[in-house]
Amino acid sequence: MIKIYRKTATIKAEKFNDTNDQVFVNTCRKYKLVQPGNDLHLELPTMEGLMKIEYGDWIATGVKGEHWAIADEIFKQTYAELPVIPGKVAKFIEFYKKNYSLANLFMDSANQTQMFEALWVDQHQETAARAWLDGYQIGVDE
């Protein structure tokens, strides 16, 4: 029987393009891109060997520091950037994840109108839910 799965690991990714000569050179150095033989294309060293990379592809970095290339169309269909939330809200969410449930977070936030963190969660429920489920990036506190 076929089952449906979702990816649970987060990755870091950087778009590979040649908009600026110095950025291009730095990216080639950073990821040790090579140009084999007389070919005009570049290749990215991966755990499985060299992988062809095109301008506009994404260079992904896994949890062990490994790299691989992902075509832009595939990347856009497969990955979504983690939400950016204020640092205070991140601590608030982590407290609720450790001690309560997502439902408690939303109920308590709806009833607490004076606290910045609760007010933020109440006003950004979809973002707070994505942060709870998928993870988040810390932004500047408002």
Side-chain angles (χ1 to χ4, degrees), residues 13-14 22 28 30 57 63 69 74 94 100 106 122 124 133 139:
E14 179 176 358
Q22 191 57 49
C28 289
K30 179 178 179 181
D57 287 353
V63 294
I74 302 297
E94 291 305 319
Y100 302 103
F106 287 135
D122 191 48
H124 303 88
L133 295 169

Side-chain angles (χ1 to χ4, degrees), residues 1-140:
M1 176 176 174
I2 295 177
K3 298 180 181 179
I4 299 173
Y5 295 87
R6 67 178 173 86
K7 292 183 178 186
T8 57
T10 57
I11 63 166
K12 293 180 180 178
E14 179 176 358
K15 193 161 189 175
F16 175 62
N17 56 38
D18 63 340
T19 57
N20 176 299
D21 287 341
Q22 191 57 49
V23 171
F24 175 78
V25 169
N26 290 342
T27 302
C28 289
R29 284 186 186 139
K30 179 178 179 181
Y31 295 107
K32 300 177 177 76
L33 300 180
V34 296
Q35 186 176 11
N38 293 330
D39 290 345
L40 295 177
H41 72 275
L42 294 170
E43 293 183 345
L44 172 70
T46 71
M47 292 176 67
E48 290 80 28
L50 293 174
M51 180 179 200
K52 187 175 180 180
I53 185 166
E54 304 281 343
Y55 296 118
D57 287 353
W58 290 81
I59 300 173
T61 303
V63 294
K64 296 178 182 175
E66 71 279 16
H67 301 295
W68 66 97
I70 306 171
D72 188 50
E73 314 81 58
I74 302 297
F75 185 84
K76 288 176 182 175
Q77 293 172 7
T78 309
Y79 297 96
E81 187 174 352
L82 292 180
V84 178
I85 65 174
K88 291 178 183 179
V89 174
K91 289 179 184 176
F92 189 64
I93 289 174
E94 291 305 319
F95 173 79
Y96 270 83
K97 282 180 84 167
K98 183 177 178 183
N99 298 294
Y100 302 103
S101 69
L102 181 58
N104 290 120
L105 174 70
F106 287 135
M107 287 187 300
D108 293 350
S109 294
N111 294 326
Q112 174 58 268
T113 59
Q114 301 301 313
M115 184 180 197
F116 166 79
E117 296 88 336
L119 188 59
W120 192 95
V121 167
D122 191 48
Q123 293 174 350
H124 303 88
Q125 289 184 7
E126 185 175 337
T127 301
R130 289 272 46 105
W132 178 289
L133 295 169
D134 300 331
Y136 49 83
Q137 300 176 75
I138 303 286
V140 180

